[in-house]
């Protein structure tokens, strides 16, 4: 195996000790980097709204006499596989669209496409392979959920271009990354309800918040090349905006949980998530790129806390 101390095949903002470099052969490394397998935070953040929604729907299903534990577990497994596959396909597509921009940004110019380690043709084939995995996962659900999944493709296709025409590309990311908040509910109950819509809106607000923190890493390069973001828009008022966005997330989730009949444990988890949000806001230094990345990644724990609360709530509600 190639010496893992050789950084010529690495991406500058990814950990060099990831399993990708220990297990996969070197010729697969660029494809793993395109799919961001060496940076799991992306698929984790894509997965949590799916997990929240499916588990919240299971809580609601108990009241309707429709609960199935085996169905929920199988769906959670499918959402995990789908999140990894579709996040990988989305990142590969995004890198194709942003090929020239990535060459101008210090943090991204070492990625496989701008560095020349993967051709555009091979990247397109790789998107197709990942999309096939996503399609296989999608077809395991009811037809209403399949329809919802297909609808999301339009938003996914638009997102990479959003930074060119709006200061709110994080909003478009939120629309795409939060879609699982609708899918999870539909997969369990075969339709949608106001609770699912509220959970989706909460997830959108959450995504705008955490991705604004992430975008502060690149704001100087973005300004030079004309790329727009909420980080540039909010600037020194980012903390104030985060209070609003994270506050809205909590209010909408509280309402969704109440409508779905979740019990006290789920609401206590929201209290824990509020503490994590407050910690992010207090700690934030928008001029410290390393800290911004760390705070962004801490949102995985937020997602886990909320899911844990919903899951334990479900266990106590089962007759």
């Amino acid at each position: 195996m190639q010496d893992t101390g050789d950084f010529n095949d690495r991406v500058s903002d990814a950990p060099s000790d990831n399993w990708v470099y220990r297990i996969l052969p070197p010729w697969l490394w660029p494809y793993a980097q395109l799919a961001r397998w060496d940076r799991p935070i992306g698929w984790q953040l894509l997965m949590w709204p799916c997990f929240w929604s499916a588990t919240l729907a299971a809580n609601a299903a108990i009241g309707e006499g429709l609960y199935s534990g085996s169905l929920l577990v199988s769906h959670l497994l499918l959402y995990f596989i789908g999140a990894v596959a579709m996040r990988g396909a989305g990142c590969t597509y995004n890198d194709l669209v942003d090929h020239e921009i990535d060459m101008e940004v210090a943090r991204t110019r070492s990625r496989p496409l701008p560095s020349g380690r993967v051709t555009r043709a091979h990247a397109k084939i790789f998107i197709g392979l990942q999309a096939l995995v996503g399609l296989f996962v999608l077809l395991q659900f009811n037809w209403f959920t399949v329809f919802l999944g297909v609808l999301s493709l339009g938003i996914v296709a638009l997102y990479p271009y959003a930074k060119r025409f709006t200061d709110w590309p994080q909003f478009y990311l939120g629309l795409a990354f939060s879609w699982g908040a609708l899918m999870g509910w539909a997969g369990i109950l075969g339709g949608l309800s106001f609770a699912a819509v509220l959970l989706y809106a909460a997830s959108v607000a959450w995504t705008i918040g955490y991705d604004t923190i992430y975008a502060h890493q690149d704001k100087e390069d973005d300004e030079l090349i004309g790329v727009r973001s909420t980080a540039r828009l909010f600037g020194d008022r980012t903390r104030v905006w985060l209070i609003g966005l994270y506050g809205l997330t909590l209010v909408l989730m509280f309402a969704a949980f109440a409508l779905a009949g979740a019990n006290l444990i789920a609401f206590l988890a929201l209290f824990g998530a509020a503490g994590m949000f407050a910690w992010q806001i207090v700690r934030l230094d928008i001029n410290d790129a390393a800290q911004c990345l760390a705070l962004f990644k801490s949102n995985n724990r937020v997602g886990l806390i909320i899911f844990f609360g919903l899951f334990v709530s479900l266990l106590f509600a089962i007759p």
Side-chain angles (χ1 to χ4, degrees), residues 137-212:
V137 168
L138 183 61
L139 292 177
Q140 308 310 304
F141 295 99
N142 59 62
W143 285 111
F144 182 77
T145 308
V146 172
F147 173 72
L148 277 181
V150 173
L151 281 183
S152 71
L153 295 179
I155 301 171
V156 172
L158 177 64
Y159 164 66
Y161 298 97
K163 63 175 72 73
R164 294 163 169 81
F165 64 80
T166 178
D167 291 325
W168 290 84
Q170 281 68 29
F171 171 72
Y172 289 86
L173 179 68
L175 294 178
F177 251 56
S178 303
W179 202 257
L182 302 176
M183 299 274 291
W185 187 281
I188 295 292
L189 294 174
L192 291 177
S193 75
F194 193 46
V197 174
L198 288 174
L199 186 64
Y200 176 65
S203 300
V204 172
W206 178 54
T207 305
I208 297 171
Y210 69 62
D211 202 60
T212 296

Side-chain angles (χ1 to χ4, degrees), residues 255-267:
F257 289 9
L259 285 175
N263 67 30
L264 178 63
I265 298 171
F267 294 99

Side-chain angles (χ1 to χ4, degrees), residues 2-3 6-11 21 26 29-30 33 110 117:
Q2 183 170 325
D3 180 11
D6 180 4
F7 285 84
N8 291 329
D9 293 324
R10 305 304 175 81
V11 175
Y21 308 111
W29 292 359
Q33 292 163 354
S110 60
R117 289 179 289 120

Side-chain angles (χ1 to χ4, degrees), residues 213 217 279-280 289-299 301:
I213 296 174
Q217 297 176 93
W279 174 78
Q280 289 180 37
Q291 188 205 62
C292 287
L293 181 60
L295 292 178
F296 161 75
K297 288 182 177 179
S298 73
N299 281 281
R301 295 195 293 275

Side-chain angles (χ1 to χ4, degrees), residues 8 14 48 56 86 88 131 152 181 189 223 233 236 247 288 302:
N8 291 329
W48 288 128
L56 186 62
M86 295 313 295
S152 71
L189 294 174
E223 185 173 1
L233 177 66
D236 292 336
D288 185 339
V302 173

Side-chain angles (χ1 to χ4, degrees), residues 1 14 34 78 88-89 97 126 132-133 165 200 204 221 235 265 267 300 303 306 316:
M1 181 175 176
L34 276 176
L78 288 169
V97 173
F126 188 46
L132 284 175
V133 175
F165 64 80
Y200 176 65
V204 172
D221 286 332
I265 298 171
F267 294 99
N300 181 47
I306 295 171
F316 276 91

Side-chain angles (χ1 to χ4, degrees), residues 10-14 36 39 94-95 97-115 117 160 163-164 214-229 232 289:
R10 305 304 175 81
V11 175
S12 64
D13 62 341
R36 310 295 197 271
R39 281 170 284 182
N94 191 75
D95 282 5
V97 173
D98 287 347
H99 189 167
E100 294 185 4
I101 290 176
D102 285 346
M103 295 177 70
E104 303 298 325
V105 177
R107 187 176 60 84
T108 58
R109 65 170 59 105
S110 60
R111 289 178 178 175
L113 279 168
S115 66
R117 289 179 289 120
K163 63 175 72 73
R164 294 163 169 81
Y214 183 83
H216 271 290
Q217 297 176 93
D218 299 327
K219 58 180 179 289
E220 288 83 6
D221 286 332
D222 289 348
E223 185 173 1
L224 287 173
I225 60 180
V227 168
R228 301 159 77 175
S229 72
R232 292 185 59 199

